[in-house]
C-alpha cells in the first residue's frame, strides 16, 4: 500500500532497462491486451503456468472455465515463479497495474493492465524464443482441451429450434471409454489411433492436396462389439465434441443441411445404425427421377444431382440417400473443418455401394467378436489381471476356444462384471461360457456342412462382404489382423482416392 503498483511497474521497467546493460538477463513482456486484440500468448502462458507444479506461493488464484469441471490454478497478482525448460531456468512474474483512465480506446478495456514478464539468461535467448514459447502454446492447447468437457449434441427435438436458433441440444459428454479400455486387436487399434492423429494434425496436408478437411469412418459388425464405445474413445482421444444425428428426426434434405451448418469444427458427426435410419427405397426413387446430366459416375449411382443441390429430390418430407451423401460429401460439408463422420451399422451388406465407395467413408472398420488379444484387454479392464495373473493352463484354454466361441466383448464383460468380486470364479465361468458357445457353434457348423452348405461358403461370403465396396476399399486392417496377407495393399486411403 505504501508503494503504488503503478509506480512499481514503472520502476520495475526502469530497473529492468538499467540492468539490461549490466546483467546477464533479458526480459520479455507479454501483456494481456496488445492494444486491439487479446494476446493469445498471455492466455497460453497463464494456462501453462497453472499446470506447473511449482506453484507454492501463499496466494494462488483459482479459476474454472465454462463447461469445465476442472479448476485451474494461476499466478496471483505480482507473484513470480521459476520454471525450467530443457535445463534452462526462467523466471515468470505476473504484473497487474491499474489502467490509466485517460487512455483512449474504441472499446472498453479491462480496468487493470495485466502482463507477464519472462526473465531468461541472455545466452538462452535463442531457446526461449524458438522452442520454449512454442512449447507453451502447445501445452496450453492441450490443457485447454483436457479441461474442457466434451459436449454431446443431439437433434432429438426434431426440426424445432431453441431460443438462440440452434437446432442442436447439448449435454456434457462424460463417456469413460478410451482406446486403452477398448478391447480389439492392438494392431488395428494402433492404426486407427495414428489415422486419427494424422487427421487432426493434417491441416497442411489437406490444404496442399485440395481436399476438404474431413474424414469418414464406417464401423460395422454385430451388436455389442464396441462400435459406440469406439466413437466415444475417438472423441476422448482427440478431444472432439460429438454430434449424434438422429436421422429419423430429420424431415428434409434442407433440414439436414441446416443441421450440418450448425456444427462446429473439431467434432465427430455420428449416424448410428445407418442401415435402419435411412430408407433404402430412396435410392430407387432417385433412379426413377432420371440421372440428369451429371458426368460424375459415382453420383449417377445414387444421386442424380451434383453435390449441394440435394434439396430438390428431397421432395416431400423424407430425406434421401442423395441428401445424406451431399451432407457428408458435398460442398456444404466443408463449411467448417476438421470434422469426422462416423456411420455405424450391423449390416454392411445392406448399405448402398455409393456410401461405401472410397473417399466417402475413408476407413472401414470391422468390429468383430472378441479375439484373444481383445479378451486379455477385457480381463485387465474388469479384473485388473495381467497375463501372468491367470494360470497359464487356463489362459491356453481360453485361447483355444475364443475364436470358435464368437462371443462379443459385451457378452464377455457381462460375465466378468457379474463375478467381479471373485476373480478366479469369473475366469472359470468365462471359460465355461466360451466353451458352451464354441460347442454350439461347432455343432451348427457340422450341421451346416452336412446340409452341403460348407463353412467355406460362409468364409467366402464374409470375404466377399469385405471386398464388396466397388472401388476396392478393402478392410486392410481387418485383413492384417486376420493375417490374411493380401500383398500390395499398402497404399493408404488417400492415395487410393487420388
Ligand atoms: N470392444 C470393446 N471393448 C470394451 N468394451 C466393449 C467392447 N465392445 C463392447 N463393450 C462393452 O459392451 C457394451 C456395449 O458396447 P457398444 O454399445 O459399444 O456396442 P455396439 O457395437 O455399439 O452395439 P450396437 O450395434 O448394438 O449399437 C459397452 O458398454 C462396453 O462396455
Ligand atoms: Mg452402438
Amino acid at each position: 500500500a505504501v508503494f503504488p503498483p503503478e509506480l512499481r511497474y514503472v520502476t520495475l521497467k526502469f530497473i529492468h532497462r538499467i540492468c539490461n546493460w549490466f546483467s546477464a538477463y533479458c526480459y520479455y513482456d507479454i501483456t494481456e491486451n496488445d492494444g486491439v486484440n487479446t494476446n493469445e500468448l498471455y492466455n497460453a502462458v497463464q494456462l501453462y503456468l497453472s499446470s506447473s507444479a511449482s506453484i507454492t506461493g501463499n496466494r494462488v488464484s483459482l479459476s474454472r472455465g465454462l463447461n469445465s469441471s476442472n479448476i485451474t490454478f494461476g499466478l496471483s497478482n505480482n507473484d513470480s515463479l521459476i520454471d525450467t525448460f530443457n535445463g534452462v531456468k526462467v523466471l515468470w512474474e505476473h504484473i497487474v497495474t491499474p489502467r490509466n483512465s485517460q487512455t483512449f480506446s474504441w472499446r472498453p478495456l479491462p480496468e487493470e493492465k495485466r502482463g507477464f514478464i519472462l526473465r531468461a539468461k541472455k545466452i538462452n535467448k535463442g531457446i526461449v524464443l524458438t522452442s520454449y514459447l512454442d512449447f507453451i502454446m502447445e501445452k496450453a492447447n492441450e490443457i485447454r482441451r483436457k479441461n474442457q468437457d466434451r459436449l454431446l449434441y443431439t437433434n432429438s427435438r426434431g426440426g424445432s429450434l431453441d431460443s438462440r436458433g440452434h437446432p442442436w441440444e447439448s449435454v456434457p459428454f462424460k463417456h469413460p471409454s478410451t482406446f486403452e479400455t477398448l478391447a480389439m486387436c492392438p494392431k488395428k487399434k494402433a492404426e486407427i489411433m495414428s489415422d486419427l492423429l494424422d487427421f487432426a494434425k493434417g491441416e497442411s496436408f489437406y490444404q496442399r492436396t485440395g481436399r476438404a478437411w474431413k474424414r469418414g469412418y464406417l464401423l460395422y459388425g454385430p451388436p455389442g462389439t464396441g462400435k459406440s464405445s469406439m466413437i466415444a474413445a475417438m472423441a476422448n482421444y482427440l478431444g472432439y465434441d460429438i454430434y449424434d444425428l438422429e436421422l429419423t428426426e430429420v424431415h428434409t434434405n434442407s433440414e439436414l443441411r441446416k443441421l450440418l451448418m450448425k456444427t462446429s469444427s473439431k467434432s465427430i458427426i455420428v449416424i448410428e445404425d445407418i442401415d435402419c435410419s435411412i430408407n433404402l427405397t430412396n435410392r430407387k426413387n432417385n433412379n426413377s427421377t432420371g440421372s440428369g446430366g451429371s458426368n460424375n459416375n459415382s453420383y449417377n449411382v445414387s444421386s442424380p444431382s451434383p453435390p449441394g443441390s440435394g434439396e430438390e429430390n428431397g421432395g416431400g418430407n423424407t430425406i434421401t440417400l442423395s441428401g445424406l451423401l451431399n451432407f457428408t460429401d458435398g460442398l456444404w460439408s466443408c463449411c467448417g473443418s476438421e470434422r469426422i463422420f462416423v456411420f455405424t451399422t450391423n449390416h454392411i451388406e445392406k448399405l448402398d455401394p455409393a456410401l461405401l465407395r472410397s473417399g466417402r467413408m475413408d476407413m472401414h472398420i470391422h468390429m468383430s467378436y472378441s479375439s484373444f488379444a481383445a479378451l486379455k484387454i477385457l480381463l485387465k479392464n474388469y479384473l485388473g489381471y495381467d497375463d501372468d495373473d491367470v494360470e497359464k493352463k487356463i489362459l491356453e484354454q481360453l485361447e483355444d476356444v475364443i475364436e470358435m466361441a464368437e462371443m462379443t466383448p459385451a457378452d464377455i464383460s457381462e460375465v466378468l462384471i457379474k463375478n467381479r468380486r471373485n476373480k478366479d470364479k469369473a475366469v472359470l465361468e468365462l471359460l465355461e461360457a466360451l466353451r458352451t458357445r464354441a460347442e454350439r457353434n461347432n455343432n451348427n457348423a457340422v450341421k451346416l456342412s452336412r446340409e452341403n452348405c460348407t463353412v467355406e461358403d460362409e468364409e467366402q461370403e464374409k470375404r466377399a462382404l469385405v471386398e464388396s465396396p466397388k472401388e476396392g476399399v478393402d478392410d486392410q486392417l481387418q485383413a492384417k489382423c486376420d493375417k490374411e496377407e493380401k500383398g500390395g495393399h499398402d497404399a493408404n486411403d488417400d492415395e487410393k482416392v487420388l
Side-chain angles (χ1 to χ4, degrees):
V2 191
F3 203 53
E6 200 169 344
L7 197 60
R8 180 179 141 87
Y9 187 65
V10 173
T11 337
L12 258 178
K13 249 188 168 171
F14 185 68
I15 292 171
H16 285 164
R17 205 161 290 164
I18 301 266
C19 292
N20 226 359
W21 292 98
F22 304 105
S23 87
Y25 294 106
C26 50
Y27 298 83
Y28 301 96
D29 276 333
I30 298 169
T31 49
E32 185 180 20
N33 232 292
D34 62 359
V36 187
N37 294 312
T38 12
N39 186 356
E40 233 177 85
L41 191 55
Y42 174 87
N43 292 333
V45 169
Q46 191 159 39
L47 258 179
Y48 168 74
L49 292 181
S50 77
S51 75
S52 172
S54 46
I55 289 190
T56 48
N58 291 334
R59 192 161 175 169
V60 176
S61 72
L62 306 176
S63 58
R64 179 165 167 268
L66 198 66
N67 268 326
S68 169
S69 44
N70 286 27
I71 289 176
T72 51
F73 303 86
L75 260 189
S76 264
N77 303 348
N78 307 324
D79 225 345
S80 65
L81 71 80
I82 289 172
D83 186 36
T84 29
F85 173 71
N86 287 350
V88 172
K89 254 193 194 157
V90 295
L91 180 86
W92 283 103
E93 193 166 3
H94 194 211
I95 305 288
V96 182
T97 46
R99 187 175 293 281
N100 196 342
S101 53
Q102 277 122 22
T103 326
F104 173 78
S105 158
W106 286 105
R107 54 169 206 171
L109 288 166
E111 286 183 358
E112 287 171 330
K113 201 169 155 189
R114 295 155 187 276
F116 285 104
I117 293 178
L118 167 63
R119 190 191 77 178
K121 285 227 171 84
K122 273 181 184 162
I123 42 164
N124 298 324
K125 203 170 169 177
I127 202 168
V128 167
L129 283 183
T130 53
S131 17
Y132 183 50
L133 292 180
D134 282 347
F135 171 76
I136 289 178
M137 283 306 269
E138 206 166 288
K139 200 83 186 172
N141 277 334
E142 205 175 283
I143 297 167
R144 197 170 294 141
R145 232 174 318 131
K146 237 188 259 164
N147 286 352
Q148 190 104 24
D149 288 337
R150 320 273 91 77
L151 292 178
L152 173 65
Y153 294 89
T154 63
N155 62 318
S156 53
R157 230 172 335 161
S160 64
L161 307 177
D162 74 358
S163 55
R164 281 171 304 149
H166 276 290
W168 296 100
E169 233 175 335
S170 71
V171 289
F173 176 69
K174 294 195 173 158
H175 201 297
S177 169
T178 62
F179 274 107
E180 205 165 299
T181 61
L182 202 63
M184 65 188 293
C185 164
K187 218 184 216 165
K188 197 155 134 187
K189 198 194 284 188
E191 291 223 21
I192 294 167
M193 286 168 80
S194 66
D195 193 79
L196 286 169
L197 219 54
D198 284 347
F199 170 79
K201 291 186 175 165
E203 181 165 19
S204 59
F205 169 81
Y206 284 87
Q207 195 79 43
R208 204 172 54 238
T209 50
R211 293 169 66 91
W213 193 6
K214 62 192 171 70
R215 198 147 176 85
Y217 298 91
L218 176 73
L219 307 180
Y220 66 99
T225 48
K227 296 182 292 298
S228 305
S229 310
M230 163 78 89
I231 296 171
M234 284 176 164
N236 287 333
Y237 183 57
L238 293 178
Y240 283 14
D241 293 334
I242 296 186
Y243 288 87
D244 188 9
L245 182 66
E246 189 61 59
L247 270 190
T248 47
E249 294 286 341
V250 185
H251 304 299
T252 62
N253 289 338
S254 64
E255 213 177 293
L256 188 62
R257 200 158 67 194
K258 271 184 206 133
L259 280 168
L260 178 71
M261 283 168 65
K262 292 283 184 191
T263 59
S264 58
S265 38
K266 283 191 191 288
S267 58
I268 302 181
I269 298 166
V270 178
I271 303 181
E272 291 252 33
D273 297 316
I274 182 109
D275 53 308
C276 305
S277 43
I278 183 138
N279 186 358
L280 291 175
T281 55
N282 285 332
R283 188 176 154 213
K284 284 183 205 128
N285 291 344
N286 279 340
N287 282 344
S288 65
T289 348
S291 54
S294 171
N295 51 8
N296 184 335
N297 279 336
S298 59
Y299 277 105
N300 278 339
V301 178
S302 59
S303 71
S305 57
S309 65
E311 202 170 6
E312 299 85 81
N313 49 26
N317 53 0
T318 54
I319 73 153
T320 61
L321 180 60
S322 89
L324 181 69
L325 296 183
N326 288 334
F327 170 77
T328 61
D329 217 16
L331 296 173
W332 289 101
S333 67
C334 357
C335 57
S337 60
E338 241 192 299
R339 268 192 299 224
I340 293 179
F341 290 92
V342 182
F343 293 174
T344 75
T345 179
N346 294 335
H347 303 280
I348 194 178
E349 71 280 1
K350 281 195 198 162
L351 295 186
D352 193 295
L355 256 179
L356 302 175
R357 77 150 174 86
S358 42
R360 200 154 266 146
M361 289 290 118
D362 300 289
M363 206 181 204
H364 296 188
I365 302 169
H366 186 192
M367 304 296 290
S368 177
Y369 298 114
S370 181
S371 63
F372 185 56
L375 173 68
K376 284 202 274 193
I377 296 174
L378 289 173
L379 286 176
K380 179 143 185 58
N381 284 352
Y382 288 96
L383 307 180
Y385 270 179
D386 279 317
D387 264 12
D388 38 357
D389 288 326
V390 188
E391 250 179 79
K392 208 162 174 222
K393 212 173 71 198
I394 295 181
L395 213 57
E396 276 164 9
Q397 285 170 345
L398 286 171
E399 189 170 8
D400 282 343
V401 287
I402 184 83
E403 294 295 337
M404 194 65 201
E406 297 198 332
M407 219 161 150
T408 62
D411 289 341
I412 292 179
S413 32
E414 204 47 52
V415 177
L416 295 179
I417 289 174
K418 213 169 58 192
N419 299 297
R420 69 179 183 281
R421 285 209 200 90
N422 187 344
K423 297 182 182 183
D424 292 335
K425 182 164 167 253
V427 176
L428 289 179
E429 197 152 305
L430 178 64
L431 183 59
E432 199 50 46
L434 286 170
R435 275 192 181 140
T436 320
R437 292 270 195 129
E439 208 160 293
R440 200 192 61 198
N441 290 343
N442 206 10
N443 285 343
N444 286 348
V446 170
K447 222 189 277 168
L448 277 176
S449 70
R450 280 215 194 100
E451 289 162 17
N452 249 348
C453 173
T454 57
V455 187
E456 275 136 57
D457 279 347
E458 227 176 74
E459 211 59 69
Q460 268 171 10
E461 225 172 81
K462 262 190 215 155
R463 218 164 287 149
L465 218 153
V466 171
E467 284 166 6
S468 67
K470 293 243 163 63
E471 270 80 1
V473 185
D474 278 2
D475 194 340
Q476 306 165 33
L477 297 176
Q478 187 59 31
K480 261 186 213 158
C481 279
D482 296 350
K483 298 202 186 78
E484 291 173 14
E485 286 303 326
K486 298 177 191 170
H489 277 281
D490 289 333
N492 73 36
D493 296 305
D494 296 308
E495 279 164 353
K496 259 187 221 158
V497 181
L498 298 170

